[in-house]
Amino acid sequence: EGEEIVGWFLGGRMQQMEVTEMILRIHLKHFGGEKVLMLMDPVENEEAFFHYENSFMVKQSGFYIYYENYFMELKENN
């Protein structure tokens, strides 16, 4: 309650830091271009954020990640 989904995440070993046509179709179908996409390769420790603009997924040059809710949930579950 009181929270909003701001985007989605796709990650895995050897995940390319590029948006393919398939990823773009999934993004538009489920999020309508209004949310962000985070791609991550945990092995290479790479991550990238994209947003939809003028029919393209545009890579963001900088970002912050806030973990407040994660740590609150972790504390409650222990």
Side-chain angles (χ1 to χ4, degrees), residues 17-59:
M17 297 296 109
E18 300 173 4
V19 177
T20 64
E21 185 66 32
M22 182 179 74
I23 293 172
L24 176 60
R25 284 196 308 264
I26 292 168
H27 184 82
L28 294 176
K29 179 179 179 181
H30 296 284
F31 299 100
E34 298 176 7
K35 308 295 181 181
V36 298
L37 164 63
M38 178 185 183
L39 298 178
M40 182 178 184
D41 179 346
V43 174
E44 296 295 324
N45 199 25
E46 290 184 66
E47 53 195 23
F49 279 86
F50 297 83
H51 77 279
Y52 186 73
E53 181 179 301
N54 298 324
S55 302
F56 296 97
M57 293 297 287
V58 179
K59 186 175 181 179

Side-chain angles (χ1 to χ4, degrees), residues 45-77:
N45 199 25
E46 290 184 66
E47 53 195 23
F49 279 86
F50 297 83
H51 77 279
Y52 186 73
E53 181 179 301
N54 298 324
S55 302
F56 296 97
M57 293 297 287
V58 179
K59 186 175 181 179
Q60 300 302 287
S61 60
F63 55 87
Y64 292 98
I65 299 176
Y66 295 93
Y67 293 100
E68 179 180 341
N69 289 340
Y70 170 76
F71 288 116
M72 289 173 62
E73 290 175 16
L74 184 63
K75 185 176 180 181
E76 291 172 0
N77 292 327

